[in-house]
Amino acid sequence: MKKVNVVVVGATGAVGQEILNILDERSFPINNLKLCATSRSAGTEIEFRGQKYVVEETTPDSFTDMDIALFAGGKASLEFGPAAVERGCVVIDNSSNYRMDPEVPLVVPEVNPEDVTWHKGIIANPNCSTIIMVVALKPIHDAAGIKRVVVSTYQAVSGAGKEGIEELTEQVKAVLDGREYPPKKFAHQIAFNLIPHIDVFQDMDYTKEEWKMVKETRKIMHDNNIQVTATTVRVPVYRSHSESINIETERKLTAARAREILAQAPGVIVQDDVANNVYPMPLFTSHRDEVFVGRIREDNTIDNGLNLWVVGDQIRKGAATNAVQIAELLLKYDCLMEKK
Amino acid sequence: MKKVNVVVVGATGAVGQEILNILDERSFPINNLKLCATSRSAGTEIEFRGQKYVVEETTPDSFTDMDIALFAGGKASLEFGPAAVERGCVVIDNSSNYRMDPEVPLVVPEVNPEDVTWHKGIIANPNCSTIIMVVALKPIHDAAGIKRVVVSTYQAVSGAGKEGIEELTEQVKAVLDGREYPPKKFAHQIAFNLIPHIDVFQDMDYTKEEWKMVKETRKIMHDNNIQVTATTVRVPVYRSHSESINIETERKLTAARAREILAQAPGVIVQDDVANNVYPMPLFTSHRDEVFVGRIREDNTIDNGLNLWVVGDQIRKGAATNAVQIAELLLKYDCLMEKK
């Protein structure tokens, strides 16, 4: 297989580190690897496949002779994405900067792999909660046509990066010791609490996270008729986002049939044996690449209703794994860019 | 005001203790107080209004000369409820034993206070998640007619009693220390995890807790046309249940109007100022008697949709406070029983 030159931008963060793990695990065919980050993190040493790399500060020239740039998140892709594209390097961007740009494909490989082929240099990786949801929704949509989704999320603190993880640990210790530990990363105490507020508030008092689940789902599924309403909540769990999803379909799908369809769907593992207390839980789905689906039940309050409980590792499938899968599709469909 | 003789059955448990706190706080007019429990807890000393009481083992004669028996939960009301009624003592029962019995009123004082008047000796206190939900639903139902509710819960460990609280604390410490702490009270580890399973699994793979929210809501609201579908989830929070509620109404209700109606509703506190990060959270609603409602949003995926985030202390309003309020209604409507 052809080997390519890969640059990871934001290599020192939680998602960046996971991208490196996954490139290695999946034996991604790398010729030259470059690790970049902000000046603050430049100089850090990171080992990859037995070799040490020194993290460089990202500059426009970081992308010269590179084929694929994996941007872990944040504002870097706004600043350096166009420079990378100018140099013939395809950008796979985990931030929300370009997701709703009609010129930019928004791709979940299990759902809309072909969309990578029409990229103009940038491909966006969707929001983590959205990725996890659409992997479970796609097979249902294909089988019965989804009209409406009501989703409530239970999102892990690592969605807020390493600082989110540290805040939960230190705050839990403080609470147990009777000490104060004021919130820093989150708006309120997260230890032994729930915060129904992720990202900033926008139109109609929905959060940006909630709107992402509405808008990105339609774009990924190529169906502007799918109605989605979301309530997103931070919970004191380290890793893996969970979602309670109520679905109304055009055509009837029994729970048994939904279970069969989901069991055969790419990237999905069905865990649904309630007689033996088997259902997905974030503690046991972390560090996995699949989306786990359980509590599959018909909802008889409407003609064609289904309830699902869906859990997935939002740092892996919700971010890093999905990005690396997109890179694999670029090779599969042979749609890298010509160097200028 | 007339003073009455009150017996608390299950006085040593979490709900029993809270019933005593609330009888005291609300200055309930008690003449004689008797505290009962199983033989295991008999002999325990409990102080109430500066006086020490020795907990007695419950027997049929515990109810002789008593006016009101507050049963904290479990099987005791099956064993002793009829004996209490025979002796002219009205039973207010926090267990699920009699809730769906057509001869037994199921009462939430903010919703259907008049139902206490037709009791035949037993009045049932609803399920905790249901109480918290219906207090918020009732004013919406009166204003716009509720057709359908999709609810996902986030339930605190104290819903499983003192052992649930201890299990969360000890398991969190163990996880932080890298020690094992196998689950006892819960089916799986609850520390830093979510368990989408509360009470036993029943018809259509819904749990008993989920069916309670469906069936009890209809009975309390006197409306068998209200459609409810529920997914109930245990979360690593000590106290107060939270609920993400999506509502479809007959008539349009704007978010602004819903906010006004809820702000005037009995037993409800609206906390909905997202510009200042104000919304209900379980950490700050515990040890309160009201139900807190926030994140009030129109849901435009249907003609008349609303989303709410509702939080309430399930040991107080979800159990003990509601039971004491029912006792107050018995006095208000003068519907105690004649002694035989």
Side-chain angles (χ1 to χ4, degrees):
Chain A
M1 194 188 246
K2 183 184 169 188
K3 288 188 173 183
V4 293
N5 297 336
V6 173
V7 49
V8 177
V9 181
T12 55
V15 172
Q17 298 265 292
E18 200 69 45
I19 287 174
L20 291 171
N21 292 339
I22 292 165
L23 287 170
D24 185 33
E25 282 175 28
R26 297 176 76 99
S27 305
F28 191 81
I30 298 175
N31 183 23
N32 289 319
L33 176 68
K34 191 181 284 182
L35 304 185
C36 294
T38 60
S39 58
R40 208 177 38 147
S41 300
T44 310
E45 282 199 349
I46 292 181
E47 203 174 289
F48 181 80
R49 292 182 181 164
Q51 196 180 324
K52 280 195 177 159
Y53 291 82
V54 178
V55 175
E56 303 172 18
E57 182 180 350
T58 318
T59 71
D61 289 329
S62 303
F63 305 94
T64 306
D65 296 327
M66 291 285 143
D67 298 302
I68 297 175
L70 293 149
F71 281 74
K75 289 175 182 160
S77 66
L78 279 181
E79 194 174 353
F80 300 107
V85 175
E86 270 170 35
R87 285 163 179 77
C89 173
V90 181
V91 169
I92 300 172
D93 181 24
N94 193 49
S95 82
S96 63
N97 299 326
Y98 299 100
R99 286 181 193 151
M100 296 311 296
D101 184 332
E103 304 273 286
V104 172
L106 184 65
V107 177
V108 177
E110 291 83 352
V111 179
N112 60 334
E114 326 74 36
D115 279 341
V116 299
T117 59
W118 59 265
H119 77 79
K120 296 186 165 75
I122 300 178
I123 299 173
N125 211 36
N127 164 266
C128 51
S129 301
T130 308
I131 292 176
I132 290 163
M133 180 166 76
V134 296
V135 169
L137 291 186
K138 181 57 164 47
I140 306 284
H141 190 50
D142 288 346
I146 293 178
K147 288 167 70 175
R148 180 173 179 243
V149 172
V150 179
V151 57
S152 298
T153 70
Y154 302 63
Q155 296 185 223
V157 296
S158 50
K162 289 174 178 175
E163 295 149 312
I165 296 172
E166 191 189 317
E167 186 152 319
L168 176 59
T169 300
E170 295 308 316
Q171 209 168 49
V172 161
K173 285 182 186 166
V175 169
L176 292 176
D177 294 350
R179 286 182 288 111
E180 290 282 313
Y181 190 97
K184 292 174 205 164
K185 188 71 188 173
F186 300 113
H188 302 276
Q189 178 180 321
I190 186 61
F192 306 109
N193 195 23
L194 308 168
I195 308 174
H197 169 190
I198 296 177
D199 210 332
V200 295
F201 286 100
Q202 296 186 327
D203 286 358
M204 294 175 66
D205 290 345
Y206 285 80
T207 61
K208 191 173 176 187
E209 184 82 358
E210 288 157 356
W211 281 123
K212 285 174 184 170
M213 294 188 81
V214 174
K215 294 174 185 172
E216 295 183 18
T217 297
R218 290 177 173 176
K219 180 167 177 177
I220 299 163
M221 306 269 271
H222 296 179
D223 189 340
N224 282 324
N225 293 319
I226 296 182
Q227 300 292 333
V228 178
T229 185
T231 299
T232 59
V233 181
R234 187 76 68 192
V235 299
V237 163
Y238 283 115
R239 191 159 170 153
S240 281
H241 287 354
S242 305
E243 304 179 4
S244 172
I245 304 180
N246 180 271
I247 304 169
E248 181 175 6
T249 54
E250 296 280 356
R251 298 174 294 282
K252 178 72 183 171
L253 212 53
T254 63
R257 184 70 191 128
R259 216 170 274 125
E260 281 174 13
I261 289 166
L262 286 161
Q264 292 161 9
V268 172
I269 292 181
V270 171
Q271 291 185 326
D272 194 18
D273 175 13
V274 296
N276 291 303
N277 294 344
V278 173
Y279 28 73
M281 288 178 284
L283 192 64
F284 306 108
T285 58
S286 294
H287 307 286
R288 299 285 299 270
D289 287 318
E290 299 88 355
V291 167
F292 295 77
V293 185
R295 301 295 325 273
I296 302 166
R297 290 155 290 156
E298 280 157 57
D299 163 16
N300 287 341
T301 67
I302 48 177
D303 283 343
N304 304 320
L306 273 181
N307 282 310
L308 307 179
W309 173 253
V310 177
V311 186
D313 184 326
Q314 90 287 357
I315 300 180
R316 289 184 71 104
K317 181 56 193 168
T321 302
N322 201 74
V324 174
Q325 287 175 306
I326 292 171
E328 291 171 346
L329 289 176
L330 286 170
L331 301 190
K332 178 182 170 190
Y333 293 124
D334 194 19
C335 53
L336 293 172
M337 286 194 291
E338 295 290 311
K339 292 283 170 296
K340 286 169 189 170
Chain B
M1 195 186 244
K2 183 184 171 187
K3 287 187 175 183
V4 292
N5 297 338
V6 173
V7 48
V8 177
V9 181
T12 54
V15 172
Q17 298 265 294
E18 200 69 43
I19 286 174
L20 291 171
N21 292 339
I22 291 165
L23 287 169
D24 185 34
E25 282 176 26
R26 297 175 78 99
S27 305
F28 191 80
I30 297 175
N31 183 25
N32 289 320
L33 176 68
K34 190 180 287 183
L35 305 185
C36 293
T38 59
S39 57
R40 206 177 40 146
S41 300
T44 310
E45 283 199 348
I46 292 181
E47 203 175 291
F48 181 80
R49 292 182 183 163
Q51 197 180 320
K52 280 193 178 159
Y53 292 83
V54 178
V55 175
E56 303 171 19
E57 183 180 350
T58 317
T59 71
D61 288 330
S62 304
F63 305 95
T64 306
D65 296 328
M66 290 287 144
D67 298 302
I68 296 175
L70 292 150
F71 281 74
K75 288 174 184 163
S77 67
L78 279 180
E79 193 174 353
F80 300 108
V85 175
E86 270 171 33
R87 284 162 180 77
C89 174
V90 181
V91 169
I92 301 171
D93 181 23
N94 192 48
S95 82
S96 63
N97 300 326
Y98 298 100
R99 284 181 194 152
M100 295 311 295
D101 184 334
E103 304 272 286
V104 173
L106 183 66
V107 177
V108 177
E110 290 84 351
V111 180
N112 59 334
E114 328 74 36
D115 280 341
V116 298
T117 59
W118 59 265
H119 76 79
K120 296 186 166 74
I122 300 178
I123 299 173
N125 211 37
N127 163 266
C128 50
S129 301
T130 309
I131 293 176
I132 291 164
M133 181 167 76
V134 296
V135 169
L137 292 186
K138 181 57 163 50
I140 306 284
H141 190 49
D142 288 346
I146 293 178
K147 289 168 70 174
R148 179 173 181 244
V149 172
V150 178
V151 57
S152 298
T153 71
Y154 303 64
Q155 296 185 223
V157 296
S158 50
K162 289 174 178 174
E163 294 149 312
I165 296 173
E166 191 188 317
E167 186 152 317
L168 176 59
T169 300
E170 296 307 317
Q171 208 167 49
V172 161
K173 284 182 189 168
V175 169
L176 292 176
D177 293 350
R179 286 182 287 112
E180 290 282 312
Y181 190 95
K184 292 175 207 164
K185 189 72 189 171
F186 300 113
H188 302 276
Q189 177 180 321
I190 186 62
F192 306 109
N193 195 23
L194 308 169
I195 308 175
H197 169 189
I198 297 177
D199 210 332
V200 295
F201 287 100
Q202 297 186 327
D203 287 358
M204 295 175 65
D205 291 346
Y206 285 80
T207 61
K208 191 173 176 187
E209 183 83 358
E210 288 158 356
W211 282 123
K212 285 174 184 170
M213 296 188 81
V214 174
K215 294 174 184 172
E216 295 183 17
T217 297
R218 291 177 173 176
K219 180 166 178 178
I220 299 163
M221 306 270 271
H222 295 180
D223 189 339
N224 281 324
N225 293 320
I226 296 181
Q227 301 291 334
V228 178
T229 186
T231 300
T232 60
V233 181
R234 187 76 68 192
V235 299
V237 163
Y238 282 115
R239 192 160 169 150
S240 281
H241 287 354
S242 305
E243 304 178 4
S244 173
I245 305 180
N246 179 271
I247 303 170
E248 181 175 6
T249 54
E250 297 279 357
R251 298 174 293 284
K252 179 73 184 171
L253 212 55
T254 64
R257 183 70 190 129
R259 216 170 273 125
E260 281 174 12
I261 289 166
L262 286 161
Q264 292 161 9
V268 172
I269 292 181
V270 171
Q271 291 186 326
D272 194 18
D273 175 13
V274 296
N276 291 303
N277 294 345
V278 173
Y279 29 72
M281 288 177 284
L283 192 64
F284 306 109
T285 58
S286 295
H287 307 285
R288 299 286 299 270
D289 287 318
E290 298 88 355
V291 167
F292 295 77
V293 184
R295 301 295 327 271
I296 302 167
R297 290 155 290 156
E298 280 158 57
D299 163 17
N300 287 341
T301 67
I302 47 176
D303 284 344
N304 303 319
L306 272 181
N307 282 310
L308 307 180
W309 172 253
V310 176
V311 187
D313 184 326
Q314 89 287 357
I315 300 181
R316 289 185 70 105
K317 182 57 193 166
T321 302
N322 200 74
V324 173
Q325 287 175 307
I326 291 172
E328 291 171 346
L329 289 175
L330 286 170
L331 301 189
K332 179 182 169 189
Y333 291 125
D334 195 19
C335 53
L336 292 172
M337 286 194 292
E338 294 291 312
K339 293 282 170 298
K340 286 170 189 170

